[in-house]
Amino acid sequence: TPPEPHPHMEHHHLYDGGENDYMQQEDDWDRDLLLDPAWEKQQRKTFTAWCNSHLRKAGTQIENIEEDFRDGLKLMLLLEVISGERLAKPERGKMRVHKISNVNKALNFIASKGVKLVSIGAEEIVDGNAKMTLGMIWTIILRFAIQDISVEETSAKEGLLLWCQRKTAPYKNVNIQNFHISWKDGLGFCALIHRHRPELIDYGKLRKDDPMTNLNTAFDVAEKYLDIPKMLDAEDIVGTARPDEKAIMTYVSSFYHAFSGAQKAETAANRICKVLAVNQENEQLMEDYERLASDLLEWIRRTIPWLENRVPESTMHAMQQKLEDFRGYRRQHKPPKVQEKCQLEINFNTLQTKLRLSNRPAFMPSEGRMVSDISNAWGALEGAEKGYEEWLLNEIRRLERLDHLAEKFRQKAAIHEAWTEGKEGMLTKKDYEVASLSDIKALLKKHEAFESDLAAHQDRVEQIAAIAQELNELEYYDSPSVNARCQKICDQWDSLGAMTQKRSEALQKTEKLLETIDQLYLEFAKRAAPFNNWMEGAMEDLQDTFIVHTIEEIQGLSTAHEQFKATLPEADKERQAILGIHNEIAKIVQTYHVNMAGTNPYTTINPQEINAKWDKVRQLVPQRDQALIEEHARQQNNERLRRQFASQANIIGPWIQTKMEEIGRISIEMHGTLEDQLTHLRQYEKSIVNYKPKIDQLEGDHQQIQEALIFDNKHTNYTMEHIRVGWEQLLTTIARTINEIENQILTRDAKGISQEQLSEFRASFNHFDRDHSGTLGAEEFKACLISLGFDIANDAQGEAEFARIMSIVDPNRLGVVTFQAFIDFMSRETADTDTADQVMASFKVLAGDKNYILAEELRRELPPDQAEYCIARMAPYTGPDAVPGALDYMSFSTALYGESDL
């Protein structure tokens, strides 16, 4: 940290306004207490070399920049050398105060040159503050080496930079934009040397990728041939990402002053040479001046119209060619003319000087070829040139903008045209005319999406139109085609908008119509379905084949039919209303030309079907009327037949029942002898048979009932089948009763059973026939036998005996014993009867003790019918003594008594 300043010492500050504004940018080092070590090293080396390049003119130098300026002596000496002025007499004392006084004198001198120092006090310099010392030297360099540089109305740093750019402009691989990284490859230093002293450097062999070689070459040549000390090492520059700007500016300013000094020296030498040769060259110079002036003016005269030509080219390529021509003019055509002009002025001045020195009259060029004329013409050329360059750049920028806009226009137009392709066809499709309601809703959703897409593309169309407008304003060469394409896009866009609106309206209109039709369809379906069901039920009922059996039933059907007919007017109103719904649909279709894509989606019923069924119902109603009338008449006739049959059946049925009961009593009571009973029963049978005509009459009535298909009769419980069965039972019962009496007589006579025995058997049978059925069950029969004295105890033997008896009386195993079977059994048990052995012995007598009998023997001994009976039933005899015609009487006898098949 530097010591506090002495209260009586001056403290200098850099002036930061007015004509020295350039200093403000260059003093950034003072606002930062830290200094980059690499930059400090570069500044120390550069500033030391720069100071020594001037101090050596006074026969001295410095080694350490912050040490050697501490006493102020060499600092004052440096300022005297670079300014050419004398400073105040320095203090020669060694004390600090003397040193501060000397440094203040130096700082005051710097301030007297219009520079005010900021934060730099004499005490910091005396104390050896490196940062302050370097800042002070940099301020001196700026003021005395850089500030006075002036190039094309620019000065100081900008002037030095412009000088570098002008001098290196012909070198394509050199691009000087600053005083740091633009110099790192060394080509900038080499280009400056080569531009002024091309013989010192073979520039063609230099490579941009070899900065060390380039920098060392430039620094060595400058030191050796241009008297510019080596202020930096190549390694310092290459090894630093961003070389120190102050060091580079200091170094470059040395090149500027070296070359400007060389140019002045060369001019002075030429002038001396020309003065020496004036006598020999005066006339030649005059001729040369006239010729050069004429040529130069002629060239200016020809060039100015070319530079003033502001007719723009239509394409970027053509304008770039103009720019290239202009750059060629700048690089190739103008520099020689600049030299010619300069030479012309030099020659003119030299000539005038020579003439004046030789006491000759001044040279008066031809009219229009004065130096002032040339200067004026050159000024006009410069003005045209400057305006031309600005115009070229503006035109190129304009064309760049135009090309960019044109390409943008083409891209957006192409995208838009690609998007619109097929859209008109889509919008003009009339697919909604054949679409269903669901299809229409889907189309509407799709169209809404398209409208959103269309709205989104509005910006692009507006951008296309805006770009086309801008191209017109910028006078684009192909504006007609752009305008035509833009107009086509705009027209198409308007058309798309109109078609979109039209399609939207058509879709919405169709949707409303189809919704209306759909509602009508739904209403039609809701009303047609029950009505159709009603008609189908009605047709089914009207065509139903009714089956009735009574007057009441047909009257019920007639009443229901009349009630049905009463509903027909109301049904017809419903039919008309349903058809009205369909007619309304047809009216909408016809009025709005709706192309129906299909039928009613809610029902398959149609008006034709409804009308057809209604007509069928109307047709069936009178048919049903007639059928009911006919059926009513038939039922009346049937009722007559029922009553007619019932009146007879209700008499005959009880009569048959009564007779059956009387026969039962007769067969049980057994009054009188069997012959008396037989006589009485035959008389009773005769009276029954005499009742047959009434049965036949009833059969006739029944025949009529059957033909009329009458199956029930509420007027009687008797059916013809009952009567018929009863009548047949009555006849069978009387016949069986008579037969029983006859069999009893035969049994009595054949077995010798007395009347009393028969009466006893009857009494026992009737006693155990408790249900008066005329038969005995097994248990009843068993009890009857026990009462008659049969030994059939409840043991095994008794059961076997009862089983034997049952096999005799009930051979068919019906489980019952009739009175006749009971009499036959009792007769067999109580009477003397023939046996099979007795009959067999009788046949043996007739056969003459043979084991067989011949037919003639039978015919001779027996009555003819009985003889033939036996012959027909006897099997041929097959014994060992058989003769032809022999018959087997033994098997026949056995068969007669059931012991073998007869």
Side-chain angles (χ1 to χ4, degrees):
T1 304
E4 291 294 325
H6 191 279
H8 300 292
M9 296 296 113
E10 296 183 17
H11 208 83
H12 296 272
H13 296 271
L14 183 65
Y15 176 75
D16 54 357
E19 61 182 3
N20 290 325
D21 284 347
Y22 71 93
M23 298 292 286
Q24 183 178 1
Q25 300 176 1
E26 307 304 334
D27 239 12
D28 293 339
W29 63 272
D30 191 55
R31 287 157 177 74
D32 188 357
L33 293 177
L34 298 177
L35 188 61
D36 185 281
W39 289 1
E40 183 177 352
K41 178 183 177 185
Q42 293 174 23
Q43 287 183 19
R44 188 186 303 275
K45 185 180 294 184
T46 304
F47 293 179
T48 300
W50 183 82
C51 291
N52 285 335
S53 69
H54 293 286
L55 288 173
R56 68 184 177 183
K57 298 175 184 178
T60 186
Q61 62 177 16
I62 62 172
E63 298 295 335
N64 188 317
I65 196 166
E66 69 268 24
E67 291 294 332
D68 293 349
F69 285 134
R70 289 179 65 184
D71 60 5
L73 295 176
K74 288 187 178 181
L75 179 59
M76 294 177 69
L77 183 59
L78 175 65
L79 291 173
E80 287 181 347
V81 172
I82 62 177
S83 67
E85 298 180 22
R86 297 290 295 177
L87 273 69
K89 185 177 180 181
E91 299 285 346
R92 294 297 178 178
K94 301 296 185 179
M95 296 176 65
R96 176 179 174 84
V97 67
H98 298 141
K99 296 178 181 179
I100 291 175
S101 175
N102 290 335
V103 173
N104 272 326
K105 290 177 181 178
L107 295 178
N108 289 334
F109 179 77
I110 295 172
S112 71
K113 296 302 180 183
V115 179
K116 291 186 179 181
L117 301 171
V118 177
S119 299
I120 298 177
E123 58 275 17
E124 283 91 345
I125 306 302
V126 173
D127 290 338
N129 187 315
K131 177 183 175 185
M132 296 299 178
T133 303
L134 291 174
M136 178 188 68
I137 298 302
W138 173 241
T139 303
I140 293 170
I141 293 171
L142 280 176
R143 174 59 185 86
F144 295 102
I146 296 176
Q147 179 181 341
D148 294 336
I149 296 173
S150 177
V151 177
E152 295 185 9
E153 300 181 2
T154 61
S155 60
K157 178 181 177 180
E158 290 76 12
L160 182 61
L161 182 62
L162 182 59
W163 177 79
C164 294
Q165 291 171 341
R166 291 285 186 266
K167 294 302 180 181
T168 59
Y171 301 88
K172 292 185 178 180
N173 54 358
V174 177
N175 183 18
I176 303 301
Q177 297 297 330
N178 51 56
F179 287 110
H180 36 82
I181 59 173
S182 293
W183 301 87
K184 279 193 70 173
D185 58 10
L187 291 177
F189 290 108
C190 292
L192 287 177
I193 296 172
H194 185 267
R195 178 66 185 270
H196 296 89
R197 297 288 297 276
E199 75 281 2
L200 296 180
I201 291 179
D202 188 354
Y203 191 84
K205 293 183 177 180
L206 299 178
R207 292 185 295 110
K208 192 175 183 66
D209 59 355
D210 189 7
M212 291 294 292
T213 300
N214 299 338
L215 289 166
N216 283 325
T217 298
F219 295 166
D220 293 344
V221 169
E223 187 173 31
K224 185 175 180 180
Y225 297 103
L226 302 177
D227 197 25
I228 298 174
K230 190 172 184 180
M231 299 183 182
L232 284 172
D233 292 329
E235 294 80 358
D236 295 336
I237 297 177
V238 175
T240 306
R242 187 175 184 272
D244 182 65
E245 186 177 50
K246 300 177 180 65
I248 297 295
M249 283 179 64
T250 302
Y251 213 153
V252 172
S253 67
S254 298
F255 280 85
Y256 172 82
H257 290 295
F259 289 132
S260 63
Q263 186 173 349
K264 292 176 182 177
E266 183 181 351
T267 303
N270 289 337
R271 186 177 297 112
I272 293 170
C273 290
K274 289 178 182 178
V275 169
L276 294 176
V278 67
N279 289 334
Q280 295 85 7
E281 298 173 1
N282 279 345
E283 290 184 3
Q284 183 62 44
L285 286 174
M286 292 177 186
E287 291 176 3
D288 290 344
Y289 176 87
E290 290 288 340
R291 177 177 54 77
L292 287 173
S294 296
D295 293 344
L296 185 59
L297 288 170
E298 177 60 25
W299 177 81
I300 291 171
R301 185 189 63 78
R302 292 196 314 271
T303 305
I304 286 177
W306 174 68
L307 294 172
E308 289 178 342
N309 179 15
R310 298 294 191 271
V311 178
E313 298 292 340
S314 60
T315 65
M316 185 68 175
H317 177 72
M319 285 306 296
Q320 285 177 335
Q321 185 59 49
K322 274 185 177 268
L323 181 60
E324 192 61 34
D325 292 344
F326 179 70
R327 286 174 177 168
Y329 154 79
R330 275 275 187 86
R331 288 193 302 265
Q332 299 170 12
H333 300 293
K334 185 181 178 184
K337 298 303 178 183
V338 172
Q339 292 296 329
E340 287 182 17
K341 174 179 175 292
C342 182
Q343 192 64 46
L344 190 65
E345 292 174 352
I346 292 170
N347 291 349
F348 179 79
N349 292 334
T350 303
L351 177 58
Q352 295 291 41
T353 301
K354 287 182 178 181
L355 291 174
R356 186 172 61 255
L357 291 175
S358 61
N359 294 319
R360 295 184 63 183
F363 171 63
M364 182 61 66
S366 303
E367 186 177 353
R369 293 175 185 166
M370 297 290 290
V371 172
S372 59
D373 295 329
I374 294 171
S375 295
N376 292 336
W378 190 263
L381 177 70
E382 291 281 353
E385 180 182 316
K386 184 176 181 181
Y388 186 66
E389 183 177 22
E390 291 176 356
W391 174 77
L392 277 176
L393 294 175
N394 288 333
E395 276 300 304
I396 287 174
R397 282 192 288 270
R398 183 180 70 85
L399 288 176
E400 281 179 342
R401 172 70 176 158
L402 282 174
D403 285 350
H404 172 73
L405 286 173
E407 181 59 27
K408 191 173 181 181
F409 175 84
R410 285 188 289 271
Q411 288 178 355
K412 287 186 177 293
I415 292 172
H416 177 77
E417 289 163 351
W419 178 82
T420 58
E421 186 175 356
K423 294 297 188 293
E424 291 183 353
M426 180 195 74
L427 291 171
T428 54
K429 278 201 306 186
K430 295 188 177 182
D431 47 356
Y432 53 82
E433 292 184 350
V434 295
S436 65
L437 180 58
S438 60
D439 294 336
I440 284 293
K441 290 185 179 296
L443 287 174
L444 270 169
K445 293 290 184 185
K446 184 178 179 182
H447 190 69
E448 288 173 5
F450 173 76
E451 286 179 324
S452 298
D453 195 14
L454 187 73
H457 280 75
Q458 176 71 32
D459 287 344
R460 180 176 286 113
V461 175
E462 292 175 357
Q463 290 170 7
I464 289 171
I467 292 171
Q469 178 65 26
E470 190 171 356
L471 287 171
N472 280 301
E473 291 173 355
L474 294 175
E475 299 179 358
Y476 181 55
Y477 76 96
D478 200 19
S479 288
S481 65
V482 169
N483 292 337
R485 191 173 185 181
C486 180
Q487 188 61 45
K488 182 179 178 182
I489 288 172
C490 291
D491 292 344
Q492 186 187 36
W493 184 254
D494 294 340
S495 176
L496 284 176
M499 286 188 287
T500 300
Q501 181 63 26
K502 183 177 179 181
R503 180 173 174 83
S504 178
E505 292 171 354
L507 287 172
Q508 291 173 0
K509 178 182 176 182
T510 305
E511 181 189 29
K512 289 180 180 178
L513 290 175
L514 290 182
E515 283 179 342
T516 302
I517 292 172
D518 189 70
Q519 289 296 322
L520 292 172
Y521 269 151
L522 183 58
E523 185 179 356
F524 179 90
K526 286 181 177 179
R527 298 179 68 172
F531 186 72
N532 183 66
N533 291 336
W534 177 85
M535 287 195 297
E536 288 180 347
M539 287 190 293
E540 184 178 350
D541 293 342
L542 291 171
Q543 295 179 91
D544 184 26
T545 304
F546 50 78
I547 299 176
V548 296
H549 303 96
T550 65
I551 287 289
E552 291 78 5
E553 289 179 357
I554 192 64
Q555 287 175 342
L557 288 176
S558 297
T559 301
H561 184 62
E562 290 302 319
Q563 291 173 348
F564 168 76
K565 288 197 295 183
T567 65
L568 288 177
E570 197 64 32
D572 190 40
K573 288 181 181 179
E574 177 65 11
R575 181 183 68 88
Q576 293 292 345
I578 293 170
L579 294 178
I581 294 171
H582 183 270
N583 292 337
E584 189 174 351
I585 294 173
K587 184 178 180 181
I588 292 173
V589 170
Q590 183 177 5
T591 303
Y592 297 102
H593 306 290
V594 179
N595 190 352
M596 299 304 294
T599 56
N600 191 327
Y602 303 110
T603 181
T604 57
I605 303 170
N606 55 58
Q608 293 77 17
E609 185 178 352
I610 290 175
N611 283 330
K613 289 182 179 179
W614 176 256
D615 293 342
K616 183 67 174 177
V617 169
R618 296 299 297 259
Q619 180 184 353
L620 289 173
V621 167
Q623 294 177 8
R624 184 74 169 184
D625 288 339
Q626 184 62 33
L628 288 171
I629 292 170
E630 292 174 356
E631 183 62 24
H632 191 271
R634 191 174 72 84
Q635 288 301 327
Q636 285 180 329
N637 184 58
N638 289 351
E639 183 66 13
R640 181 184 62 77
L641 291 176
R642 284 192 190 93
R643 292 181 181 277
Q644 180 178 322
F645 177 85
S647 64
Q648 294 298 320
N650 289 336
I651 296 173
I652 293 172
W655 181 85
I656 291 174
Q657 184 66 29
T658 301
K659 294 302 178 184
M660 287 289 290
E661 293 173 356
E662 289 176 355
I663 291 171
R665 285 196 301 272
I666 292 172
S667 64
I668 293 172
E669 292 173 356
M670 294 181 60
H671 297 296
T673 64
L674 291 175
E675 285 75 7
D676 294 339
Q677 294 177 21
L678 182 63
T679 301
H680 180 66
L681 285 172
R682 283 178 174 162
Q683 291 175 350
Y684 203 83
E685 181 185 30
K686 185 176 180 180
S687 69
I688 289 171
V689 171
N690 290 336
Y691 205 78
K692 183 68 165 56
K694 293 187 178 181
I695 300 298
D696 293 339
Q697 182 181 356
L698 191 62
E699 284 282 3
D701 293 343
H702 178 66
Q703 179 68 26
Q704 290 181 353
I705 285 176
Q706 283 190 322
E707 289 174 355
L709 299 177
I710 299 171
F711 302 106
D712 62 340
N713 193 337
K714 68 179 181 178
H715 303 297
T716 180
N717 292 325
Y718 296 101
T719 65
M720 193 64 224
E721 186 64 25
H722 291 153
I723 299 296
R724 201 180 286 130
V725 170
W727 175 255
E728 289 174 354
Q729 285 180 346
L730 180 61
L731 293 177
T732 301
T733 300
I734 190 63
R736 185 174 67 246
T737 303
I738 292 172
N739 181 253
E740 286 179 355
I741 298 299
E742 289 175 342
N743 287 336
Q744 290 176 24
I745 293 172
L746 289 173
T747 302
R748 183 196 65 187
D749 293 342
K751 303 298 182 178
I753 300 173
S754 64
Q755 182 68 37
E756 289 78 10
Q757 287 177 311
L758 285 173
S759 297
E760 183 183 356
F761 293 157
R762 167 59 69 179
S764 296
F765 187 90
N766 289 343
H767 175 75
F768 288 100
D769 182 16
R770 292 181 174 85
D771 58 358
H772 305 294
S773 62
T775 61
L776 296 176
E779 293 299 322
E780 291 174 335
F781 179 57
K782 186 176 182 181
C784 182
L785 289 179
I786 293 172
S787 70
L788 292 174
F790 282 82
D791 186 11
I792 46 176
N794 290 329
D795 54 13
Q797 186 177 356
E799 291 295 332
E801 177 61 16
F802 181 70
R804 183 189 69 78
I805 295 172
M806 280 299 292
S807 67
I808 294 171
V809 298
D810 185 19
N812 296 324
R813 297 183 179 182
L814 298 176
V816 295
V817 179
T818 64
F819 180 71
Q820 185 61 43
F822 176 72
I823 291 298
D824 289 344
F825 172 74
M826 294 304 295
S827 298
R828 187 182 300 174
E829 294 293 322
T830 60
D832 181 19
T833 60
D834 293 326
T835 65
D837 291 339
Q838 291 174 336
V839 174
M840 196 181 302
S842 297
F843 273 115
K844 192 168 184 180
V845 171
L846 294 178
D849 276 342
K850 298 191 295 293
N851 291 327
Y852 58 85
I853 191 169
L854 297 175
E856 57 266 23
E857 292 175 340
L858 290 171
R859 291 189 182 101
R860 184 178 63 239
E861 297 297 338
L862 296 175
D865 56 337
Q866 292 181 342
E868 293 302 325
Y869 178 85
C870 292
I871 292 168
R873 286 167 174 75
M874 284 185 182
Y877 178 69
T878 58
D881 55 344
V883 297
L887 299 173
D888 187 354
Y889 62 82
M890 295 181 183
S891 299
F892 177 75
S893 298
T894 302
L896 284 175
Y897 286 92
E899 298 179 8
S900 65
D901 291 334
L902 184 62

